[in-house]
Amino acid sequence: MVAFALSPPQQAYLDITASDDKFAVRRIYCIGKNYLAHVREMNQDERDPPVIFMKPSDAIVRNGGEIPYPVFTNNFHYECELVVALKSGGYNIPRAEASKHIFGYAVGLDMTRRDHQANALEKGLPWEVTKGFDHSAPVGPLTRVEETGVMTSGHVRLELNGETRQDADISLLIWKIDEIIAKLSEQHKLAAGDIIMTGTPAGVGPVVTGDVLDCSVDGLEPMQVRIADPAA
Ligand code: MN
């Protein structure tokens, strides 16, 4: 038994549809540049492999939550994404085995300080300032893979104040979900509780205080979050 000098931080978690159980989140991995139309709108090289980055687990915001407009940005963007949650993991998972590690799926938002991303790309700086800040990881309720089956297609959509801004299909992912799991496990030991944001389609854009974001993927629980007044 370890005696902590201070109370341990709260465990981040996600809701699970049709269940009182919660999903404890360990790590949040994210895949960038995984839909061709988005690579093009960001003026990036179409032949570059997708990038991998992470967010802290305490950046999770659940369905119905509020995102205080963050400090240190004047260009705060939404990126609606399919999220994959893992029930097990390991190193060097073969692509053919990857789907066996999936717990379920959810809708998520990779919230981004876009102004700092441009600067980080230009100067070769780390991405925490653009991707890994407070409230940057809204994720809706998880639906278990037993209910959805292994997902390879499905309409993904984001509405900003009721207007459709992102509208694509998961089948357009450049790196498929089983490839992402296999590739990630070459670099990191994946484990139960890890979630993966799989990349955003084209149509990203800025939000302001008061905006409402509705994210959906066919077959999953939708998620709604609101941009609130700046954090005090
Ligand atoms: Mn993203």
Side-chain angles (χ1 to χ4, degrees):
M1 185 73 176
V2 178
F4 293 104
L6 303 174
S7 299
Q10 229 184 359
Q11 170 67 54
Y13 67 90
L14 300 177
D15 297 319
I16 301 171
T17 53
S19 173
D20 291 332
D21 291 342
K22 306 297 182 187
F23 181 91
V25 177
R26 191 182 80 117
R27 293 180 184 172
I28 306 174
Y29 292 102
C30 304
I31 308 299
K33 303 201 290 186
N34 209 13
Y35 288 88
L36 187 56
H38 176 62
V39 174
R40 287 177 176 162
E41 77 176 347
M42 296 293 288
N43 297 313
Q44 296 294 299
D45 190 325
E46 295 176 15
R47 292 160 302 174
D48 279 353
V51 296
I52 294 167
F53 59 94
M54 294 176 75
K55 292 174 182 276
S57 60
D58 69 349
I60 294 272
V61 175
R62 289 183 297 278
N63 184 31
E66 292 197 330
I67 306 170
Y69 194 96
V71 297
F72 210 56
T73 185
N74 294 304
N75 196 17
F76 185 38
H77 274 215
Y78 57 79
E79 293 190 359
C80 181
E81 311 197 359
L82 174 69
V83 176
V84 181
L86 301 185
K87 64 183 176 190
S88 53
Y91 279 124
N92 295 312
I93 297 167
R95 183 176 177 183
E97 305 281 314
S99 297
K100 295 177 184 168
H101 297 280
I102 295 175
F103 175 87
Y105 304 90
V107 180
L109 281 165
D110 167 16
M111 298 303 293
T112 301
R113 288 168 167 151
R114 193 71 74 198
D115 34 7
H116 293 283
Q117 188 179 31
N119 188 48
L121 284 167
E122 185 187 333
K123 296 183 179 162
L125 296 171
W127 276 29
E128 280 83 0
V129 67
T130 176
K131 295 291 196 179
F133 52 94
D134 291 344
H135 308 102
S136 63
V139 181
L142 283 167
T143 302
R144 294 174 188 263
V145 69
E146 290 81 1
E147 290 178 44
T148 60
V150 171
M151 292 182 71
T152 54
S153 65
H155 203 186
V156 51
R157 181 189 292 118
L158 177 130
E159 290 180 14
L160 173 62
N161 301 325
E163 277 184 27
T164 299
R165 296 296 178 91
Q166 293 188 284
D167 196 356
D169 197 283
I170 294 158
S171 61
L172 297 173
L173 283 169
I174 297 170
W175 284 37
K176 307 305 180 192
I177 292 165
D178 52 358
E179 286 180 292
I180 292 170
I181 293 170
K183 203 71 189 170
L184 267 176
S185 73
E186 292 175 3
Q187 301 182 14
H188 304 278
K189 187 174 185 180
L190 301 179
D194 291 347
I195 64 173
I196 305 164
M197 292 191 166
T198 55
T200 199
V204 300
V207 293
V208 296
T209 295
D211 281 349
V212 174
L213 295 167
D214 285 288
C215 315
S216 62
V217 171
D218 282 355
L220 303 181
E221 283 284 311
M223 174 178 69
Q224 182 179 84
V225 292
R226 183 180 161 274
I227 311 300
D229 286 330

